[in-house]
């Protein structure tokens, strides 16, 4: 593990990089709002959008990281979509989503962020998530706290964590639209909000896994559950949640109190509170969460499905 001064150096670098990347996203968003710019690059799944901006921003971040830290590894959404194979090792590994909330970007819904995470010894240790459209920058390094816009320590809201019936819960439709998957997600929503279920306070979807997690870190969402997103959507924000006193567990239906495997594609985040209360709420969720298949290629050293 790197010492705290080295982590701080990586964090400072990642914050500056996120701001530069954010400026590119903001300019592209303004162009899109003005004249429909940022052409869609289609893959086979029409519910999983990719634009020229995703690709350009990832190229920018990847090149800047390679120039500054040539020994470090890189896992990025667009690089992996283009077929790259990266083993997950103990070496410093940057895990990047250039634009998390691409669908929001395309529609002008302002929950859009660049997400830059770093693992060392396979552990997420640095995370920066920057929403340039709202100018909100979330950052954290292991053992050094989590912050909004560098000087506001997270969580902002420190109310006691209560029963799931008192929670504001976030989830997402996700990009797998097969009826069997959507039926299970709708059943989860029913069981969370209905009078016959947990009757939680309400439900939210921001369209960005990274920003859902940052709102958990802020304390303004209590629970976030999603199956189907990827390590680049969550790695940076997991550091931010952890440093804000929250927890990210497995989002599979089987209770598991260990920290989530970032490659698992199944995430359950609970905001800050006592560990006993966090686990109580997590167990209430595990009783409701359906088992949903989220297939992926094996990641050598990281995840064997
Ligand atoms: C998005 C995730 C979101 C998920 C979407 C999509 P992208 O990431 O953040 O949680 O529901 O389907 O995967 O594609 O905008 O980077």
């Amino acid at each position: 593990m790197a010492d705290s001064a080295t982590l701080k150096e990586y964090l400072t670098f990642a914050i500056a990089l996120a701001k530069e990347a954010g400026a590119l996203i903001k300019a592209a968003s303004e162009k899109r709002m003005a004249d429909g710019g940022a052409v869609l690059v289609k893959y086979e799944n029409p519910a999983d959008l990719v634009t020229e901006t995703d690709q350009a921003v990832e190229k920018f971040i990847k090149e800047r990281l390679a120039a500054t830290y040539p020994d470090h590894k890189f896992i990025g959404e667009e690089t992996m979509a283009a077929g790259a194979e990266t083993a997950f090792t103990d070496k410093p590994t940057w895990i990047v989503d250039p634009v998390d909330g691409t669908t929001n970007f395309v529609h002008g819904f302002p929950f859009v962020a660049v997400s830059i995470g770093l693992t060392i010894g396979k552990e997420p240790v640095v995370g920066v998530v920057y929403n340039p459209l709202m100018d909100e920058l979330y950052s954290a390094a292991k053992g050094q706290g989590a912050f909004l816009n560098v000087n506001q320590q997270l969580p902002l809201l420190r109310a006691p964590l209560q029963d799931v019936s008192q929670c504001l819960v976030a989830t997402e439709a996700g990009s797998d639209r097969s009826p069997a998957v959507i039926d299970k997600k709708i059943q989860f929503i029913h069981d969370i909000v209905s009078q016959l279920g947990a009757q939680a306070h309400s439900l939210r979807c921001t369209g960005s896994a990274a920003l859902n997690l940052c709102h958990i870190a802020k304390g303004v969402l209590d629970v976030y559950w999603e199956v189907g997103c990827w390590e680049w959507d969550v790695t940076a924000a997991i550091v931010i949640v952890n440093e804000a006193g929250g927890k990210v567990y497995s989002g599979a239906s089987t209770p598991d109190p260990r920290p989530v495997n970032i490659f698992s594609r199944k995430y359950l985040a609970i905001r800050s509170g006592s560990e006993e209360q966090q686990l109580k709420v997590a167990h209430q969720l595990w009783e409701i969460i359906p088992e949903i298949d989220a297939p992926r290629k094996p990641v050598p050293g990281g995840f064997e499905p």
Side-chain angles (χ1 to χ4, degrees):
M1 237 299 267
D3 59 30
S4 63
T6 308
L7 285 186
K8 179 97 187 144
E9 178 208 310
Y10 294 151
L11 176 65
T12 304
F13 175 80
I15 289 173
L17 188 57
K19 283 188 177 163
E20 282 191 78
L24 297 176
I25 295 168
K26 185 156 191 262
S29 175
E30 285 168 356
K31 181 160 169 25
R32 180 155 181 83
M33 299 302 264
D35 64 13
V39 171
L40 271 177
V41 182
K42 300 254 184 204
Y43 288 114
E44 60 279 7
N45 179 355
D48 192 2
L49 306 185
V50 181
T51 71
E52 291 172 339
T53 304
D54 299 65
Q55 296 180 335
V57 174
E58 179 152 323
K59 184 169 182 291
F60 166 78
I61 293 173
K62 190 178 177 183
E63 287 175 359
R64 188 61 68 84
L65 283 167
T68 312
Y69 300 115
D71 296 339
H72 291 189
K73 302 282 176 202
F74 181 83
I75 294 175
E77 175 168 23
E78 306 316 325
T79 308
M80 303 315 265
E85 308 256 348
T86 304
F88 189 52
T89 69
D90 286 341
K91 286 196 169 171
T93 302
W94 296 90
I95 303 184
V96 170
D97 189 349
V99 181
D100 188 50
T102 303
T103 304
N104 291 341
F105 172 85
V106 167
H107 288 269
F109 189 70
F111 287 84
V112 172
V114 53
S115 170
I116 302 177
L118 174 69
T119 62
I120 299 179
K122 298 186 174 174
E123 186 189 5
V125 290
V126 169
V128 177
V129 173
Y130 180 43
N131 177 348
L133 307 187
M134 293 179 171
D135 197 21
E136 289 193 334
L137 187 138
Y138 300 85
S139 61
K142 189 180 176 199
Q144 301 182 22
F147 296 87
L148 171 61
N149 292 336
V150 179
N151 55 21
Q152 287 177 271
Q153 180 138 26
L154 300 174
L156 299 186
L157 184 65
R158 293 164 190 266
L161 179 65
Q162 295 178 6
D163 187 83
V164 67
S165 63
Q166 309 294 302
C167 286
L168 188 59
V169 178
T171 190
E172 298 290 341
S175 57
D176 184 344
R177 300 298 168 83
S178 50
V181 167
I182 294 301
D183 284 352
K184 286 183 178 176
K185 290 186 174 178
I186 288 171
Q187 181 67 47
F188 171 81
I189 291 170
H190 177 276
D191 292 348
I192 277 289
V193 296
S194 93
Q195 282 179 344
L196 297 176
Q199 210 170 157
H201 273 174
S202 198
L203 192 80
R204 298 288 180 267
C205 312
T206 70
S208 158
L211 289 173
N212 282 327
L213 287 167
C214 288
H215 286 88
I216 291 282
K218 221 183 204 179
V220 300
L221 282 176
D222 301 299
V223 172
Y224 163 53
W225 170 71
E226 185 166 2
V227 168
C229 46
W230 299 86
E231 54 274 17
W232 41 78
D233 298 315
V234 299
T235 300
I238 283 175
V239 185
I240 296 163
V241 170
N242 289 343
E243 286 298 310
K247 294 275 179 355
V248 186
Y249 303 109
S250 166
S253 59
T254 310
D256 186 346
R258 294 171 299 176
V260 70
N261 182 318
I262 58 172
F263 295 94
S264 67
R265 303 194 67 202
K266 301 180 184 187
Y267 310 96
L268 172 64
I270 313 282
R271 75 156 165 87
S272 68
S274 73
E275 202 169 338
E276 186 190 357
Q277 198 58 28
Q278 288 172 320
L279 271 172
K280 179 181 163 202
V281 173
H283 278 283
Q284 291 179 320
L285 267 292
W286 282 319
E287 276 178 26
I288 296 172
I289 286 171
E291 193 51 50
I292 297 179
D293 199 22
R296 69 165 307 138
K297 284 197 291 190
V299 181
F303 194 78
E304 297 298 326

